[in-house]
Amino acid sequence: AQTVTQSQPEMSVQEAETVTLSCTYDTSESNYYLFWYKQPPSRQMILVIRQEAYKQQNATENRFSVNFQKAAKSFSLKISDSQLGDTAMYFCASGPTERGYGNKLVFGAGTILRVKS
Amino acid sequence: DVKVTQSSRYLVKRTGEKVFLECVQDMDHENMFWYRQDPGLGLRLIYFSYDVKMKEKGDIPEGYSVSREKKERFSLILESASTNQTSMYLCASSQAPWGAYGYTFGSGTRLTVV
């Protein structure tokens, strides 16, 4: 079974600084996707960034980037130049690439990030 | 943009009531999911569906059922609501193969059972 662990229940960062959210996962799949989702206080969950496991290059989306360490099964999210609008709950998720019967995403418990002015 | 619409943002129901949570997506996605979100527990899968009239149990199906009569609509049913079902409920959909795109979520329904 897949598991996703986010060890930081809450974090805070000053505006304009950089923060890293941790995520580790465990899977027996040979290929899989990893995702970071953001859930602002308004509650709509949105996709921040995704990484396909077979790609060695770390994904980047503007101020958001990941540090993907496949051997260590680690997938951390780095937010640069933090903004007040980054305040949200962040979820890490993992799932196999194959559309198999019963395949689905598994989510971590989430990390609350507060950006302070 | 893909939209996943949940019919209610807040619901208050009494213990023992039958409760329907509705979810509609407008992009012809094959896959639909119901999760509940509780503090410290993240998102836990209740039920999912890969096709019309098809349903599969997730990790915590007890006390819930679902219905998918049309591709765009996936309903979660609490047959007899209990206070331990007070939670945030999130609906999601994805196209196949889903892995490349992840899920699109609805805004959530905050259900309180009193």
Side-chain angles (χ1 to χ4, degrees), chain B residues 45-47 56-66 76-77 85:
Chain B
L45 183 64
I46 305 171
Y47 268 96
E56 284 296 317
K57 294 180 180 178
D59 301 316
I60 52 164
E62 295 77 19
Y64 303 94
S65 63
V66 290
L76 179 68
I77 304 159
Q85 292 178 310

Side-chain angles (χ1 to χ4, degrees), chain A residues 44-113:
Chain A
Q44 184 90 44
M45 189 96 76
I46 59 174
L47 178 65
V48 175
I49 198 165
R50 63 183 175 91
Q51 173 88 38
E52 192 161 6
Y54 78 86
K55 291 185 178 179
Q56 294 185 341
Q57 186 173 4
N58 289 326
T60 299
E61 289 287 342
N62 301 313
R63 297 182 296 107
F64 298 87
S65 61
V66 299
N67 183 5
F68 175 46
Q69 302 289 329
K70 190 172 184 178
K73 293 185 177 177
S74 171
F75 183 61
S76 60
L77 175 69
K78 185 172 83 171
I79 305 174
S80 304
D81 185 26
S82 297
Q83 300 175 0
L84 295 177
D86 296 333
T87 292
M89 174 84 85
Y90 288 82
F91 290 96
C92 179
S94 170
T97 56
E98 295 302 318
R99 184 200 169 193
Y101 195 70
N103 284 346
K104 55 192 181 295
L105 288 181
V106 175
F107 289 82
T111 297
I112 297 172
L113 175 66

Side-chain angles (χ1 to χ4, degrees), chain A residues 39 42-45, chain B residues 4-6 8-9 88-91 105-110:
Chain A
Q39 187 182 41
S42 62
R43 299 185 311 185
Q44 184 90 44
M45 189 96 76
Chain B
V4 177
T5 303
Q6 293 183 234
S8 305
R9 287 182 69 88
M88 171 73 77
Y89 290 88
L90 294 176
C91 176
F105 284 88
S107 296
T109 296
R110 172 74 68 185

Side-chain angles (χ1 to χ4, degrees), chain B residues 53-98:
Chain B
K53 296 190 184 295
M54 180 280 205
K55 59 186 178 184
E56 284 296 317
K57 294 180 180 178
D59 301 316
I60 52 164
E62 295 77 19
Y64 303 94
S65 63
V66 290
S67 172
R68 193 168 182 197
E69 296 297 319
K70 293 184 178 181
K71 191 174 185 179
E72 67 270 20
R73 185 180 297 270
F74 192 36
S75 303
L76 179 68
I77 304 159
L78 286 66
E79 296 289 344
S80 178
S82 63
T83 55
N84 63 13
Q85 292 178 310
T86 291
S87 186
M88 171 73 77
Y89 290 88
L90 294 176
C91 176
S93 72
S94 72
Q95 64 188 83
W98 61 266

